[in-house]
Amino acid sequence: MRKIILVMALSFSLNAVFAQENNVNTADNFLKETIYNKNKKVVANFTIKDFDKLFFEFSEKKSSDNLILTKEEFYTYTVKIAIFSDRLGALYPKEKAAAAESKKKWFAENYEDYLLSKQNQKK
């Protein structure tokens, strides 16, 4: 029973994070939610070293001139970073608000914006 309530609460909270006033992309939101559910337990056990590796790998790939991440790859990185923000908020209660803001920021990342930034890099 607790698991059902937890899943429902998580689902509602994810929907709130994904809902944007004017630009709701349900396919992207579904993909983000799927990635979140698939990776939550794994990322929750990341060490700082694991996170650093993930973050720098994403930064390198994102800024690479000759590489374009797929939508799933892009959202896998951003959602994993958001999940790790939850972990930091739990580990450091004084930083809970900053961690929640970071999670919100990473969930708000948009693949179309990433593609536009790649086009602007080429110019």
Side-chain angles (χ1 to χ4, degrees):
M1 183 68 172
R2 286 184 182 176
K3 288 182 180 179
I4 293 171
I5 293 171
L6 179 62
V7 169
M8 289 175 56
L10 177 61
S11 176
F12 290 131
S13 66
L14 284 176
N15 288 336
V17 169
F18 293 142
Q20 297 173 359
E21 288 181 15
N22 297 324
N23 188 15
V24 176
N25 186 333
T26 56
D28 284 7
N29 292 345
F30 180 76
L31 179 59
K32 288 178 185 181
E33 188 171 344
T34 302
I35 292 168
Y36 183 91
N37 291 331
K38 180 179 175 185
N39 291 286
K40 184 175 183 194
K41 286 184 180 180
V42 173
V43 175
N45 291 314
F46 270 16
T47 64
I48 294 293
K49 186 176 179 179
D50 295 329
F51 174 75
D52 286 347
K53 180 181 174 188
L54 172 77
F55 188 82
F56 290 119
E57 181 179 305
F58 175 59
S59 295
E60 286 176 15
K61 288 183 177 184
K62 187 177 176 184
S63 64
S64 173
D65 291 336
N66 55 356
L67 176 69
I68 297 179
L69 296 168
T70 66
K71 185 181 280 193
E72 185 170 353
E73 289 171 329
F74 178 81
Y75 285 138
T76 297
Y77 282 111
T78 60
V79 169
K80 282 182 174 182
I81 293 168
I83 294 169
F84 194 76
S85 296
D86 267 347
R87 183 174 192 281
L88 290 178
L91 289 174
Y92 305 102
K94 290 181 180 180
E95 301 297 324
K96 195 169 194 160
E101 191 61 35
S102 177
K103 178 182 178 181
K104 184 178 177 181
K105 173 198 172 284
W106 285 103
F107 268 118
E109 288 288 316
N110 185 291
Y111 185 69
E112 286 73 25
D113 292 342
Y114 161 71
L115 292 177
L116 287 172
S117 73
K118 291 302 257 184
Q119 287 177 351
N120 290 336
Q121 274 182 346
K122 292 180 181 180
K123 291 180 181 181

